Amino acid sequence: MKIAHQIACFFLLAASAAIAAPKAANKPASKGLPRYGMAVYSDLCVHPESGEFGGQRISVQRFAEVDTVIYEFTAGGLSWPIVASDVNIDPLGKQMYFTLQLEHEERTVSGKFADNGDTLVLDGGYCGQADVPARLKKMRDFGRDAPVCKPCPAPKPAPVEPEDEAPARPAPAMPHEAPVKQAAPSPQQA
């Protein structure tokens, strides 16, 4: 009886593993930021003419209790690190936003993770152009020199509004008709 029990348990375990295996194989791997650990995203570069830094660096720390972000940017020189508040990363690790306090001004930075979490694409504002996103690559070699800054892309020309071919007629001095017509009196009012 004991051997029959062991064989039945073995077959039950094997059947459970066989049923669960296709589901585990079909489940897509997470393509965003890992749930735990630290990642640093940066587009810091050196301007060849002046030798000053340009760009920004975002350090994301993910713990079981809370996610934190440390933000650095350049304004002539590299800024002091700013600890962000209100850090929100979606459960799949595909997008995030956080809030910064910059000189009496509150600013929200948002972006999406691309390339399996290897790139952080920030929403707009790159090179002073609202429609161009900044792409920050995940840093892996912290000992390498910063690359040379690339020139900003040329701004897109503003769309030209078509001009009317016919000249606008001047408004008459005395209109012949009131701009709003009065409603006909209803039978009850008459």
Side-chain angles (χ1 to χ4, degrees):
M1 182 78 169
K2 188 175 181 182
I3 297 217
H5 244 279
Q6 289 176 346
I7 292 173
C9 287
F10 173 76
F11 281 117
L12 183 59
L13 183 62
S16 298
I19 291 170
K23 290 181 183 178
N26 293 337
K27 187 176 181 181
S30 175
K31 303 269 185 196
L33 186 66
R35 177 60 193 106
Y36 299 102
M38 181 172 179
V40 178
Y41 295 89
S42 175
D43 67 351
L44 287 178
C45 58
V46 176
H47 293 284
E49 302 86 32
S50 65
E52 291 183 343
F53 279 98
Q56 53 196 338
R57 179 169 47 203
I58 298 174
S59 302
V60 182
Q61 300 170 352
R62 302 201 74 191
F63 301 107
E65 302 84 23
V66 69
D67 297 323
T68 62
V69 168
I70 299 172
Y71 180 78
E72 298 169 273
F73 67 97
T74 60
L78 196 58
S79 71
W80 285 99
I82 301 169
V83 178
S85 61
D86 193 25
V87 177
N88 290 289
I89 301 174
D90 78 328
L92 298 176
K94 296 204 183 257
Q95 54 188 346
M96 76 170 192
Y97 70 88
F98 54 91
T99 305
L100 301 169
Q101 188 70 34
L102 299 171
E103 298 179 16
H104 312 296
E105 177 187 349
E106 193 170 86
R107 181 176 148 204
T108 299
V109 177
S110 62
K112 296 179 177 152
F113 294 98
D115 305 327
N116 295 329
D118 288 340
T119 304
L120 174 58
V121 182
L122 298 179
D123 296 336
Y126 182 66
C127 286
Q129 299 178 36
D131 61 336
V132 179
R135 298 182 66 85
L136 284 67
K137 294 288 185 184
K138 187 176 193 177
M139 292 183 64
R140 299 190 190 290
D141 182 7
F142 294 94
R144 71 171 173 84
D145 291 334
V148 174
C149 292
K150 297 176 185 172
C152 288
K156 294 179 183 176
V160 178
E161 294 185 23
E163 294 181 20
D164 292 336
E165 296 295 324
R169 293 184 0 198
M174 286 289 290
H176 299 291
E177 194 174 302
V180 177
K181 292 184 180 182
Q182 297 295 328
S186 65
Q188 295 170 349
Q189 292 177 346

